[in-house]
Amino acid sequence: MNVGESLLSALKAAGAREIFGIPGDFVLPFFEVIEQSAILPLYTLSHEPAVGFAADAAARIGSRLGVAAVTYGAGALNMVNAVALAYAEKSPLIVISGAPGKHESAAGLSLHHQVRTLDSQMRIYAEITCEQIRIDDAARAPQQIAHALQRALACSQPVYIELPRDMVKLPCVGVPDHVADEVDRGAIHACAGEILSSLAAAEHPVLMVGVEVRRFGLEAEVAELAARLALPVVTSFLGRGVLAGTDALVRGTYLGSAGRTDVSALVENSDQLFLLGVIRSDTNFGTAPPSLDLKRAIHVIDGHVTHDDQTWPAIPIVLLVRALLAQTIKGCAAIKGVTRVEHSPVSVDNAVITPIDISSAINQAMLRHGKLPIASDIGDCLFTAMEIDHSVFLSNSYYASMGFGVPAGLGIQAATGSRALVLVGDGAFQMTGWELGNCFRHGWDPIVVVLNNSGWGMLRAFQPQSSFNDLGDWHFADIATSLGGNGQRVTTRHELRDAIDMAFSRRGKFELIEVLMERDALSPTLRRFVSAVKRLHNPADRLVNASA
Ligand code: TPW
């Protein structure tokens, strides 16, 4: 076995199932080992941000490791934004970057793709990964790799592995099995006991599930826990889609004053909120009323638990959920059942399309053709998706980068074999839409709905007076054929329904549905979100609102 094979086998043993990448000379030897060893399949894409997004999505959809392999400098630095997203949203993405051979710098020349020093890239990645290793000694490599992969899994965050090109084919032994960290089971048991007492003492306890529940593969166990404790369940905004694969009754997604009033009332009137794996970010809680005191919540995140002024350090969420289950009685109470949303009747006529028509049409199509996992970009498509029935759902809602949707849809299909439904605005589509050209080669056939309002609509909503948010009409459906897919451009509700039906019923090629909308069309949720954020950032608005 050589270093490259040892790394690949360790990745597979730790749960990785595929690699996304773009080669370059510093990583060619490793790509050769990937191809020849066939330990993990390799999917090449066109631009490194998409490589990172797709690998991140594969990690998220499978609650496991994702892998992105790129060349030194030009490749790895191109991927920084995607890795930053994975870091911020807690996705265990393994970044493997090729690098100059150990002796290449000896000639005294600066090397191509080198920025400042040969260590610059590693230092940049130190900010956006939880562990960094350089494999420069084949004897030490197995231990280093074991440690790095273990950190990615334990923290659910990216790690950076730098692999100099002259190391790849050196003989190497296999990576040792991971030895679990020591934990204080007594402390975990006691913490679980206190959580259960607080929940039992409350009149209106509510469980809010967040991204960590999915990242750590805990959905079935958390659904069981919620049923045993008869806890009403909501998801955080970032956690939308969590528990969708279980039979838990999820009441909806919390989005403060921008969200559904019944869900907001449930959360805001609760006398004991239980935030399980919820990131405390402005996107999750920025639109909550000041009366929502998060310090009073029981909050499990980042390996510790806080409640009132108490902190329990070193409480891994997986062990905590198991301890909670161990202390609750099986079958004592059960709130189960699928989330039922009343659908208002869909109008299929020749009226222009608004965002709400898109969510209605997708709900109807999913009822007729079956559910698909959804990958959403940011922009109004994300707020439009709040009206889509609870389904497996990935998006970049906290870090809010753009261009995640299309590559995430590709990552989902590579990871699961299931075609995905992608929701994306025209601005975000301009960033990574080209990646659809890779579908044919890899056998993917996502359905991509482009919400085309000829501009950066969300920014327009915040600042309507500026014309720089106008993008013009690019006629995206026309490029579908040359990229190997089917394209449809729709302007009425009737055409939208037919196009979605057609897309669901055809297989084998990607389906691009370009939905033309008025430039100022906004979903009701985004409209409320913009008002809430403006009130937050503009005291004058707040005063006007208070006196209104
Ligand atoms: C990588 C800033 C946030 S929302 C937005 C921008 C430019 C407009 C999105 O336009 P789109 O959707 O996709 O047409 P919609 O519904 O608003 O019309 N660069 C990056 N990430 C972010 N978040 C921005 C800029 C931004």
Side-chain angles (χ1 to χ4, degrees), residues 256-269 528:
S257 58
R260 257 178 37 207
T261 47
D262 57 330
V263 178
S264 297
L266 190 66
V267 170
E268 289 156 16
N269 297 331
R528 290 194 296 267

Side-chain angles (χ1 to χ4, degrees), residues 81 378-381 400-402 425-428 431 453 455-459:
N81 183 49
I378 63 144
D380 201 11
C381 58
S401 177
M402 278 165 73
D426 54 318
M431 292 191 178
N453 53 11
W456 291 317
M458 189 160 163
L459 300 186

Side-chain angles (χ1 to χ4, degrees), residues 487-508:
Q488 306 180 69
R489 178 169 153 113
V490 297
T491 54
T492 68
R493 303 203 277 206
H494 191 265
E495 290 171 353
L496 174 65
R497 201 271 314 263
D498 290 352
I500 291 185
D501 261 342
M502 171 82 87
F504 269 81
S505 60
R506 285 194 294 219
R507 292 300 309 256

Side-chain angles (χ1 to χ4, degrees), residues 206-209 233-241 250-268 273 275 278-290 292 294 376-388 393 395-398 400 458 462 523-536:
V206 169
L207 171 63
M208 184 184 291
V209 290
V233 184
V234 300
T235 78
S236 63
F237 184 56
L238 270 63
R240 181 146 180 95
V250 177
R251 309 294 175 101
T253 293
Y254 180 70
L255 195 52
S257 58
R260 257 178 37 207
T261 47
D262 57 330
V263 178
S264 297
L266 190 66
V267 170
E268 289 156 16
L273 255 187
L275 306 177
V278 176
I279 297 178
R280 216 156 143 160
S281 64
D282 60 351
T283 27
N284 269 339
F285 295 108
T287 51
L292 188 76
L294 292 177
S376 176
D377 223 294
I378 63 144
D380 201 11
C381 58
L382 178 58
F383 294 92
T384 298
M386 294 302 126
E387 306 301 325
I388 296 177
F393 186 83
S395 85
N396 46 336
S397 355
Y398 162 35
M458 189 160 163
F462 279 102
S523 70
T525 312
L526 178 56
R527 206 177 288 282
R528 290 194 296 267
F529 184 80
V530 170
S531 317
V533 172
K534 277 188 171 174
R535 274 202 303 277
L536 199 69

